[in-house]
């Protein structure tokens, strides 16, 4: 993939020089402290309540803690806070990764602005946070083991680039265009949010069975693959950025992260009821469909019979 020398997005934040304090056994055990304080507050007299309020505010001020973080609890065990590591100096490789991701992000912004404008819609760029190991999000702590993801609540893509190494070493999917596909898929989720599809699917959670919800999730994910293909189609027209083997890199990546492949690899058998992203074959098919067509209207994964996806 040719990417050097193009515009870079300003909507990218590099947090690799930060760590997260608290949230899961660190100095600030977020939710746990909050629950304890709340219990004391409920049982205490008027005077105790006042002391608690003043005490918490003073402590938060002294230790530079966001008071809200004491009361937020996440699966990770707390919300934590981002602390910058003053000794961090990006290596040449880190810097190149930042430039690569910022360029790709800008490419996506340029292409999607144009596509949505043609549909009479306005594009609002997503943000991107590059982090290492852990970072905070409005929904709790992001952990690199979760892989890259898009958070609809603040329209942000979170990525620890070490995922690309894992993709290469564990899943055998290497190359800069495999990475571009991953990012374009996440931006695809942002497009779904702008189109109102994400909210439609998420609103069904808890209202339908887990199996039915997983099926909706598969439809949403395959559509994000399709949108990644639509991006590749238009970006090729505009930037002529593809090199020989790039589309194959994306295909190998889609193949590697299909639910059937991952389940087979991790547990030795396949459970279609638990699919949330689609099979390797489906992911490849929908990316290719988007790449060949370039029209978002050809990617309605919600009105296709599930068996025909
Ligand atoms: Zn996804």
């Amino acid at each position: 993939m040719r990417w050097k020398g193009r515009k870079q997005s300003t909507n990218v934040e590099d947090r690799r020089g930060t760590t997260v304090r608290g949230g899961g056994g660190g100095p600030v055990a977020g939710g746990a402290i909050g629950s304890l304080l709340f219990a004391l507050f409920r049982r205490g007299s008027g005077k105790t309540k006042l002391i608690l309020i003043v005490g918490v505010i003073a402590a938060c001020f002294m230790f530079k803690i966001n008071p809200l973080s004491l009361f937020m609890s996440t699966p990770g065990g707390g919300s934590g806070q981002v602390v910058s590591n003053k000794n961090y100096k990006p290596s040449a490789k880190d810097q190149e990764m930042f430039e690569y991701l910022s360029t790709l992000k800008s490419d996506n912004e340029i292409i999607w602005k144009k596509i949505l404008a043609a549909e009479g819609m306005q594009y609002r760029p997503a943000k991107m946070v590059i982090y290492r190991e852990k970072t905070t999000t409005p929904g709790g702590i992001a952990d690199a083991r979760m892989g890259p993801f898009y958070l609809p609540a603040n329209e942000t893509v979170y990525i620890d680039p070490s995922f690309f190494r894992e993709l290469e070493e564990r899943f055998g999917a290497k190359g800069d265009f495999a990475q571009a596909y991953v990012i374009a898929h996440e931006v695809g989720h942002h497009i779904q949010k702008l189109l109102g599809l994400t909210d439609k699917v998420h609103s069904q959670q808890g209202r339908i069975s887990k199996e039915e919800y997983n099926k909706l999730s598969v439809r949403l994910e395959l559509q994000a693959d399709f949108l990644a293909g639509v991006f590749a189609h238009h970006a090729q027209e505009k930037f002529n950025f593809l090199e020989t083997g790039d589309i194959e890199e994306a295909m190998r990546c889609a193949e590697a992260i299909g639910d059937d492949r991952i389940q087979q690899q991790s547990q030795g058998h396949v459970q279609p009821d638990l699919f949330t992203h689609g099979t390797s074959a489906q992911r490849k098919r929908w990316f290719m469909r988007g790449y060949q067509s370039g029209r978002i209207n050809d990617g309605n994964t919600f009105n296709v019979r599930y068996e025909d996806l």
Side-chain angles (χ1 to χ4, degrees):
M1 174 188 161
R2 286 180 283 272
W3 63 271
K4 288 192 177 164
R6 277 205 301 285
K7 191 179 163 214
Q8 293 178 24
S9 171
T10 50
N11 296 310
V12 182
E13 183 189 344
D14 193 347
R15 284 194 198 158
R16 287 173 297 176
T18 67
T19 47
V20 174
R21 194 190 289 159
V28 182
I33 292 182
S35 321
L36 182 66
L37 289 172
F38 190 60
L40 285 171
F41 186 82
R42 267 181 49 180
R43 263 186 266 143
S45 64
K47 201 172 153 194
T48 315
K49 282 177 179 155
L50 186 70
I51 292 172
L52 274 172
I53 292 170
V54 174
V56 167
I57 292 173
C60 289
F61 185 75
M62 271 169 66
F63 298 109
K64 297 195 172 67
I65 299 166
N66 173 0
L68 278 178
S69 72
L70 294 177
F71 297 94
M72 290 200 315
S73 185
T74 65
S79 64
Q81 57 167 328
V82 173
V83 186
S84 66
N85 169 5
K86 291 187 184 74
N87 298 323
Y88 172 75
K89 265 224 163 78
S91 66
K93 251 189 156 170
D94 287 344
Q95 185 54 28
E96 180 165 60
M97 180 54 77
F98 177 77
E99 286 169 16
Y100 165 74
L101 288 172
S102 303
T103 306
L104 201 53
K105 183 71 178 55
S106 166
D107 290 351
N108 272 276
E109 287 165 10
I110 291 167
I111 296 303
W112 281 113
K113 190 175 169 192
K114 195 178 130 220
I115 297 176
L116 291 194
E119 302 288 321
M121 288 180 61
Q122 215 181 354
Y123 180 66
R124 184 169 64 233
K127 286 184 285 296
M128 180 187 273
V129 169
I130 308 173
Y131 70 101
R132 183 166 282 159
E133 290 175 18
K134 275 181 185 181
T135 195
T136 56
T137 82
I141 291 182
D143 187 306
R145 286 170 295 185
M146 295 155 65
F149 65 96
Y150 169 74
L151 187 65
N154 62 350
E155 303 187 349
T156 302
V157 173
Y158 290 88
I159 176 143
D160 177 337
S162 68
F163 174 75
F164 295 143
R165 207 178 47 232
E166 194 188 340
L167 204 57
E168 191 172 331
E169 290 168 3
R170 199 171 137 215
F171 296 103
K174 60 178 175 190
D176 52 9
F177 203 71
Q179 302 172 359
Y181 155 65
V182 170
I183 299 300
H185 170 97
E186 297 308 334
V187 175
H189 283 312
H190 177 58
I191 303 302
Q192 293 174 313
K193 154 99 197 257
L194 297 180
L195 295 174
L197 292 160
T198 314
D199 288 347
K200 242 186 213 163
V201 169
H202 287 181
S203 69
Q204 294 302 310
Q205 199 158 20
R207 293 171 138 191
I208 53 177
S209 71
K210 179 100 180 97
E211 287 76 22
E212 286 305 314
Y213 189 76
N214 284 348
K215 285 182 178 174
L216 277 184
S217 169
V218 167
R219 292 180 187 277
L220 198 68
E221 293 297 334
L222 291 177
Q223 191 177 54
D225 286 332
F226 171 85
L227 295 172
V230 170
F231 159 75
H233 174 102
H234 289 271
Q236 173 61 5
E237 271 181 12
K238 181 152 183 72
F239 307 118
N240 186 27
F241 71 156
L242 293 175
E243 293 173 307
T244 312
D246 275 350
I247 292 298
E248 289 75 12
E249 282 179 10
M251 288 290 93
R252 260 196 303 278
C253 184
E255 164 107 45
I257 56 181
D259 284 327
D260 50 345
R261 168 72 80 87
I262 291 178
Q263 285 182 353
Q264 187 67 45
Q265 220 167 27
S266 61
Q267 61 188 30
H269 63 278
V270 173
Q271 287 174 284
D273 274 0
L274 301 181
F275 286 174
T276 52
H277 286 70
T279 64
S280 298
Q282 288 173 323
R283 301 199 68 167
K284 290 200 290 191
R285 189 154 64 238
W286 282 97
F287 173 85
M288 253 346 240
R289 205 169 277 182
Y291 175 61
Q292 281 162 353
S293 124
R295 288 183 303 267
I296 49 173
N297 294 331
D298 291 341
N300 193 343
T301 52
F302 292 88
N303 70 357
V304 178
R305 277 201 327 159
Y306 190 75
E307 298 70 33
D308 298 335
L309 276 169

